[in-house]
Amino acid sequence: MDALSNKDYYCKKHFCFGMTHTLISTIAILILGLSSCSKRVPTFVEVAPIIYKNCSGCHRPGQAGTMSLLTYSDCKKYAHTILYTTQSRFMPPWPADHNYVHFIDEKYLTEEEIKIIADWAEGGAPMGDSAAIPPVPDFPKGSELANPDMVIACPPFKIKGDNREKFIMVKVPFELPNDTFIRSIEFVPGNKKLLHHMNGHMIVFDNNKSSKDLYRQPFIIDRDTAYEISESAHNLNLLYDDGTTPLFIGSVANYLPGSSGIIYPENIGGYTAHKRNALLLRDIHYGATTVEQWDSSYFNIFFTDKKPLRPTREIQLGTLGISPIVPPLVIPPGKISTYKTNAVVPVDISLLTINPHMHLLGKSFWAYAIAPNGDSIRIVKIPKWDFRWQYNYTYPKPLIIPAGSTIYVEGVFDNTDKNPNNPFFPPRTVREPIGGNMKTTDEMFQLIMTYLPYKKGDENIDLAKNK
Ligand code: HEC
């Protein structure tokens, strides 16, 4: 900004100076003055595509961003905040190191883009030729993915203002006219400030088996007071009348702060649904609030007429996963400590999406694999962990990890009073709870991986080609 005001001053001064002299020198100085002022200020015509691609997805009605950044007037109003937040790289949030591995929908501004925004904001945020401003992209409503074929609302939930974290289990039955195939299920949190995580599963009822009408009842169980409740299908009124259990499909939709759903190319992922189904939100976790609030979350369903040929699989390392954390995740106060976990991949896999997970003490996260031939395979590096942005990172093409490779994960936790996110002051020992609910103030260290058993040619699949 200083640079600009100096230049303004400089140009004005030359202009006045010129007026008091001969015609020739006036013209000369005018030309000089004009050319020195003529470093062209970018207009919104150049800024708009950067904003649409990197910002508007979140900064539009119904999404997480604080304000809308869709139109020229939106952006002009916030020009200076946009300048500061992009220059400091606070926005767009992208914690993964893009020099280490690329993912699809990467949100990252180049130095050049940051400069265009800065020059535009400092130059008075001009609009330019309104006819040349590219049209606002046609963002889907109520979804980060696409316009849904069906929306299933969860029963609204009142979050008491008792300043305690809440854990609930919710059953949301839904019926379809016919058996069909679901390509993707997206969970959209209603209360983005308080809803911290959700693990969603699906129950699919056989058309030929009867079950009491009970399955139709949505319900909400407060797990805080009833954590010991058996999660058996019987207690959840999810059994057939003959006592057998319907089909349970795990992890059809999950949510963490900043994460979004995924649609893979046709034939990857997807589920078969019948006429009667239920979504089982086995855990919704809300942060504490002192003011009563409501949550009305919902699911977007995307159908396909293609039978799912390659259902995805999910596995996790670390907390609640297949591999122990070394040393056990007990984080001493006043220290920065490193924890590791590793696992051998028994068969060739095509890794599609990863989700690194830690809580408030997380400082950095790093995962890679070493193949049997000694090659190292980069999985993800997050130099500066941020609890708010826990994306599902999807590779541009499946990342092939050959059988016999070892996946190594390293997490650093900052339990000092220098960590502004430390929930305890003074710091105290923080650990992963054994059983029971995972509070935000507990810690976790997890690498969740969505993958397929490898098939020849997987390395060439374009995972961004999913429309
Ligand atoms: C993944 C979603 C997402 C993307 C992408 C994103 N933002 Fe944001 N933005 C947010 C959220 C959420 C907040 C509120 C953050 C908070 O309060 O911690 C925010 C806050 C802001 C703020 C307000 C900061 C303040 O001090 O109040 C500005 C300005 C901003 N974003 C600009 C941008 C710009 C410019 C881009 C693109 C270059 C962008 N954002 C991309 C989600 C996003």
Side-chain angles (χ1 to χ4, degrees), residues 17-73:
F17 181 67
M19 294 293 277
T20 57
H21 286 71
T22 64
L23 189 63
I24 287 173
S25 65
T26 304
I27 291 169
I29 284 163
L30 255 176
I31 291 169
L32 258 178
L34 280 176
S35 64
S36 85
C37 291
S38 73
K39 198 194 94 195
R40 208 180 64 76
V41 172
T43 67
F44 193 62
V45 177
E46 288 139 285
V47 170
I50 306 174
I51 301 280
Y52 295 161
K53 175 167 177 281
N54 296 284
C55 321
S56 312
C58 293
H59 288 276
R60 63 188 168 101
Q63 299 301 319
T66 347
M67 73 298 246
S68 267
L69 296 178
L70 285 172
T71 62
Y72 169 65
S73 59

Side-chain angles (χ1 to χ4, degrees), residues 50-59 63-67 69 78 80-86 90-94 107 109 117 144 193 258 388-389 391:
I50 306 174
I51 301 280
Y52 295 161
K53 175 167 177 281
N54 296 284
C55 321
S56 312
C58 293
H59 288 276
Q63 299 301 319
T66 347
M67 73 298 246
L69 296 178
Y78 295 105
H80 279 278
T81 350
I82 293 175
L83 184 159
Y84 299 134
T85 48
T86 52
F90 174 61
M91 289 286 146
W94 191 260
K107 301 264 182 315
L109 298 184
I117 292 178
E144 289 185 33
K193 288 231 153 42
R388 287 171 297 183
W389 312 113
Y391 296 122

Side-chain angles (χ1 to χ4, degrees), residues 252-319:
V252 296
N254 293 320
Y255 176 83
L256 285 166
S259 77
S260 57
I262 305 162
I263 298 185
Y264 292 119
E266 287 280 9
N267 292 336
I268 296 183
Y271 321 97
T272 302
H274 289 166
K275 290 182 183 165
R276 294 169 303 156
N277 315 275
L279 288 159
L280 184 64
L281 289 53
R282 214 153 54 169
D283 234 10
I284 299 191
H285 171 201
Y286 297 101
T289 172
T290 50
V291 183
E292 180 184 297
Q293 296 189 36
W294 284 86
D295 174 40
S296 298
S297 297
Y298 59 92
F299 288 90
N300 290 326
I301 311 285
F302 303 90
F303 294 117
T304 171
D305 50 13
K306 299 217 173 59
K307 189 175 159 62
L309 293 179
R310 304 186 70 190
T312 56
R313 303 182 187 190
E314 194 181 277
I315 202 164
Q316 59 208 39
L317 273 69
T319 307

Side-chain angles (χ1 to χ4, degrees), residues 173-390:
F174 67 99
E175 296 195 4
L176 300 170
N178 295 300
D179 291 2
T180 185
F181 307 122
I182 292 178
R183 188 169 170 195
S184 177
I185 302 178
E186 176 189 24
F187 176 76
V188 182
N191 190 324
K192 291 195 171 69
K193 288 231 153 42
L194 285 183
L195 203 154
H196 281 190
H197 82 239
M198 188 291 300
N199 300 117
H201 314 283
M202 187 164 72
I203 294 153
V204 180
F205 295 87
D206 192 321
N207 295 337
N208 300 318
K209 289 200 161 198
S210 66
S211 61
K212 289 189 208 76
D213 277 351
L214 276 173
Y215 98 91
R216 289 210 187 89
Q217 306 296 326
F219 66 68
I220 297 181
I221 295 174
D222 183 347
R223 292 183 65 147
D224 209 24
T225 52
Y227 192 78
E228 293 307 319
I229 189 162
S230 158
E231 288 178 23
S232 74
H234 179 71
N235 281 352
L236 299 177
N237 295 325
L238 291 169
L239 284 187
Y240 296 123
D241 292 348
D242 65 8
T244 55
T245 318
L247 176 67
F248 179 95
I249 309 173
S251 276
V252 296
N254 293 320
Y255 176 83
L256 285 166
S259 77
S260 57
I262 305 162
I263 298 185
Y264 292 119
E266 287 280 9
N267 292 336
I268 296 183
Y271 321 97
T272 302
H274 289 166
K275 290 182 183 165
R276 294 169 303 156
N277 315 275
L279 288 159
L280 184 64
L281 289 53
R282 214 153 54 169
D283 234 10
I284 299 191
H285 171 201
Y286 297 101
T289 172
T290 50
V291 183
E292 180 184 297
Q293 296 189 36
W294 284 86
D295 174 40
S296 298
S297 297
Y298 59 92
F299 288 90
N300 290 326
I301 311 285
F302 303 90
F303 294 117
T304 171
D305 50 13
K306 299 217 173 59
K307 189 175 159 62
L309 293 179
R310 304 186 70 190
T312 56
R313 303 182 187 190
E314 194 181 277
I315 202 164
Q316 59 208 39
L317 273 69
T319 307
L320 302 173
I322 56 163
S323 59
I325 300 172
V326 183
L329 194 61
V330 179
I331 308 170
K335 288 207 171 96
I336 293 174
S337 331
T338 301
Y339 297 83
K340 295 181 182 183
T341 184
N342 66 70
V344 176
V345 181
V347 294
D348 294 352
I349 62 166
S350 302
L351 190 56
L352 308 174
T353 300
I354 52 145
N355 179 238
H357 183 52
M358 308 201 269
H359 285 183
L360 298 163
L361 299 184
K363 183 173 164 64
S364 65
F365 191 105
W366 182 25
Y368 59 93
I370 302 288
N373 69 1
D375 282 356
S376 69
I377 302 169
R378 298 171 173 201
I379 296 178
V380 70
K381 197 181 244 180
I382 297 181
K384 202 164 164 263
W385 175 258
D386 191 326
F387 182 79
R388 287 171 297 183
W389 312 113
Q390 305 192 40

